[in-house]
Amino acid sequence: QVQLVESGGGVVQAGGSLRLSCAASGRRFDTYTMGWFRQAPGKEREFVAGISWFGRNTFYADSVKGRFIISRDNAKNMVDLQMNSLKREDTAVYYCATDPREAPAEPWAGSWGQGTQVTVSS
């Protein structure tokens, strides 16, 4: 089991940027893919972005494509989400997740973090 801890959430103005980080820890690291999900009030959790084990492939939800960038540092077992041109509809709790499959299908079968709040105002 992998423990995930998100950080970097906060309040930003529309059009601004924010960078989220996810730190993974555990005695075994056997996942192939890491990613980010989010859940807004009154809505179901949705996929945001994913990245393969070696960072060779990334994939994004259409709603964030061109604005968000996911990256990872396997030596540190960390994955980041750079969020640019933020919109009010990006307001949500953002969750880091892992999945042992190369191309995960929902629901993801790995670990989940506790989430970090992102609020976009104005």
Side-chain angles (χ1 to χ4, degrees), residues 74-112:
N74 287 338
K76 298 181 179 180
N77 292 306
M78 297 182 65
V79 59
D80 290 349
L81 184 68
Q82 177 66 46
M83 305 184 294
N84 302 312
S85 301
L86 284 162
K87 306 174 181 179
R88 287 186 293 275
E89 50 263 44
D90 294 319
T91 295
V93 177
Y94 284 72
Y95 299 89
C96 180
T98 68
D99 194 287
R101 298 167 291 182
E102 294 89 345
E106 297 213 40
W108 281 33
S111 300
W112 292 82

Side-chain angles (χ1 to χ4, degrees), residues 6-121:
E6 302 96 335
S7 62
V11 180
V12 298
Q13 191 174 134
S17 298
L18 201 63
R19 188 178 186 90
L20 306 182
S21 295
C22 173
S25 62
R27 289 180 171 82
R28 296 181 66 248
F29 302 95
D30 55 359
T31 63
Y32 291 95
T33 302
M34 300 186 71
W36 291 90
F37 289 71
R38 68 186 182 187
Q39 186 169 22
K43 297 184 178 181
E44 295 184 346
R45 188 173 299 186
E46 65 174 342
F47 171 79
V48 175
I51 185 167
S52 62
W53 187 243
F54 296 105
R56 294 169 180 165
N57 300 111
T58 58
F59 34 101
Y60 301 89
D62 288 341
S63 60
V64 306
K65 191 173 298 182
R67 299 189 297 119
F68 291 10
I69 302 173
I70 188 171
S71 61
R72 69 188 299 162
D73 184 342
N74 287 338
K76 298 181 179 180
N77 292 306
M78 297 182 65
V79 59
D80 290 349
L81 184 68
Q82 177 66 46
M83 305 184 294
N84 302 312
S85 301
L86 284 162
K87 306 174 181 179
R88 287 186 293 275
E89 50 263 44
D90 294 319
T91 295
V93 177
Y94 284 72
Y95 299 89
C96 180
T98 68
D99 194 287
R101 298 167 291 182
E102 294 89 345
E106 297 213 40
W108 281 33
S111 300
W112 292 82
Q114 294 297 310
T116 184
Q117 177 71 49
V118 173
T119 301
V120 184
S121 64

